[in-house]
Amino acid sequence: MRRGESARVTVPSVPGVLSPEQSLATGRAIARMQEPSGAVPWFPGGHIDPWDHIESAMALTAIGLREEADAAFEWSRRTQRADGSWPIQFRGDIVENHDTDSNFTAYIAVGVWHHHLVTGDRGFVEHMWPTVRAALDLVVDMQLPGGQISWARGDGGMFDEALLTGCSSIHQSLWCGLRIADLIGEAQPEWEVALIRLGHALRRHPEAFTPKPEYSMDWYYPILGGAVRGTDAHERIRERWSDFVVDGLGIRCVDHRPWVTGAETCELVLALDALGHAGRARELFAAMQHLRDPDGSYWTGLVYADGKRWPVEVSSWTSAAVILAADALSRTTGGNAIFRDAAAPADQVGADRCTERCPVLVR
């Protein structure tokens, strides 16, 4: 198979919104941004961060561009540091920020499990297992006494600060890591305990996280990452729908700015799909298509007050979010439910009440 060819005839698509041909063009737009090393930058010539790179790798997997996807994962395996982490930011082969971001480090588990769900390639999982294990071991070591996970560490040590969005994503990463561990046959009880403690903090102790209520990601990510579902999740969506959703355009990234963004809109689509709100999810997916470029790529956002695209860039991770949302809505690949299935087990949530021994309360 030549580079750039699709390994499958069937690709994620949404009738009346995104055709298979359009979806494949979006996957190829991501592939055109990929560097010879396998890294996928934010945009051609832009920087690389380990989380968005994996998101792009997942989209390449879902669209059937297997060679490009595997090259992206191999870049992650090759650039992982001895402690299991990645630098926060690269530009080409140059490290621009040497610090460690826990969420950026954890997301490799989501990418590897998604790859397995789509391809069924156990050999790939076995090849990537040492990378996943080292990454999640490091992330668990960054867990704070209350169950939340420090967002970063640098030369001065670990930061005593946790972010709701990042920790919600880590919740999904730990869930995926445990699925991989089960497949490999190497139990990881420390990860399971860390997942339970983190989920409790996310559901019951928002005060444990640095407040960023103006950002839409803090609104929907606890749902997207699987920590919050059911009645609480539906209420969470209702409470701030009017703050973030702009009819016919998508959702705001920040509640007080006239700026809608494609990736955040598609992530909300995934969260709504996980809650069974198929109609709303499809409407939002259709609404953000104004960001599509004729070449199949997607612009990051639109300042709708003046009709200008901003920033003036087509971003790989926005295109990736489109493909993953299309897959979830269409139930096309074996990985279509990776966000839908990330919910915390009901038996854990059912016993999720605080007591006087709750680690958050006794800090």
Side-chain angles (χ1 to χ4, degrees):
M1 185 188 304
R2 295 192 305 274
R3 182 177 176 86
E5 289 185 342
S6 176
R8 285 193 316 277
V9 174
T10 304
V11 299
S13 61
V14 179
V17 180
L18 188 73
S19 71
E21 294 75 18
Q22 288 174 320
S23 186
L24 184 56
T26 298
R28 287 173 173 159
I30 297 171
R32 287 195 300 272
M33 300 184 203
Q34 190 171 31
E35 297 178 351
S37 66
V40 183
W42 274 30
F43 50 86
H47 72 269
I48 305 146
D49 79 60
W51 195 101
D52 288 297
H53 165 82
I54 290 297
E55 188 88 336
S56 290
M58 291 168 65
L60 291 169
T61 305
I63 212 70
L65 297 177
R66 177 71 183 272
E67 182 180 341
E68 289 86 346
D70 288 0
F73 282 107
E74 188 62 21
W75 178 88
S76 294
R77 191 192 67 81
R78 192 173 61 249
T79 57
Q80 186 179 39
R81 295 184 290 201
D83 68 354
S85 71
W86 287 267
I88 285 179
Q89 185 168 305
F90 298 78
R91 193 173 300 270
D93 294 329
I94 305 300
V95 175
E96 294 188 330
N97 186 332
H98 291 266
D99 290 350
T100 295
D101 181 302
S102 56
N103 180 31
F104 285 10
T105 296
Y107 207 56
I108 185 70
V110 179
V112 170
W113 184 239
H114 177 263
H115 188 288
H116 174 69
L117 292 173
V118 174
T119 69
D121 187 345
R122 182 189 174 100
F124 171 84
V125 178
E126 292 172 347
H127 178 63
M128 293 298 297
W129 170 239
T131 303
V132 172
R133 183 177 56 204
L136 291 186
D137 281 346
L138 175 69
V139 170
V140 169
D141 283 344
M142 294 176 70
Q143 192 162 39
L144 299 171
Q148 71 275 41
I149 293 174
S150 169
W151 82 271
R153 72 180 191 187
D155 292 339
M158 195 165 66
F159 297 4
D160 187 20
E161 180 184 18
L163 304 179
L164 185 66
T165 293
C167 282
S168 297
S169 180
I170 291 171
H171 185 276
Q172 184 189 20
S173 294
L174 287 168
W175 186 90
C176 290
L178 287 166
R179 305 287 79 72
I180 296 169
D182 287 344
L183 179 68
I184 295 295
E186 293 188 21
Q188 302 294 321
E190 296 87 356
W191 297 1
E192 187 169 2
V193 172
L195 176 63
I196 293 170
R197 295 178 63 222
L198 175 60
H200 177 78
L202 287 165
R203 286 184 293 275
R204 303 297 180 221
H205 296 286
E207 74 279 3
F209 303 90
T210 299
K212 294 181 180 289
E214 68 272 25
Y215 289 96
S216 60
M217 288 190 293
D218 266 25
W219 169 47
Y220 63 76
Y221 245 95
I223 300 167
L224 183 65
V228 178
R229 295 288 170 88
T231 301
D232 289 346
H234 292 284
E235 181 60 29
R236 190 180 187 93
I237 291 296
R238 283 194 296 269
E239 283 177 350
R240 302 212 61 193
W241 183 268
S242 62
D243 293 337
F244 292 111
V245 177
V246 181
D247 289 341
L249 292 177
I251 73 167
R252 295 181 180 94
C253 178
V254 184
D255 62 8
H256 59 277
R257 294 181 180 173
W259 178 42
V260 293
T261 48
E264 281 81 356
T265 301
C266 287
E267 287 178 338
L268 179 58
V269 167
L270 290 165
L272 292 170
D273 174 73
L275 295 180
H277 291 317
R280 276 185 164 183
R282 191 181 188 281
E283 286 174 7
L284 277 173
F285 188 66
M288 63 78 59
Q289 296 300 321
H290 63 90
L291 294 171
R292 185 177 180 85
D293 190 84
D295 72 357
S297 59
Y298 282 80
W299 296 86
T300 299
L302 173 76
V303 180
Y304 57 84
D306 58 16
K308 293 181 179 178
R309 288 169 173 163
W310 187 85
V312 185
E313 65 186 28
V314 289
S315 46
S316 57
W317 40 272
T318 300
S319 293
V322 169
I323 290 173
L324 295 176
D327 194 25
L329 292 174
S330 63
R331 310 299 200 259
T332 300
T333 78
N336 76 81
I338 192 163
F339 297 95
R340 200 159 53 247
D341 288 349
D347 57 343
Q348 293 178 9
V349 177
D352 202 30
R353 297 183 179 88
C354 289
T355 69
E356 64 277 8
R357 294 185 178 181
C358 176
V360 178
L361 299 178
V362 300
R363 281 194 305 165

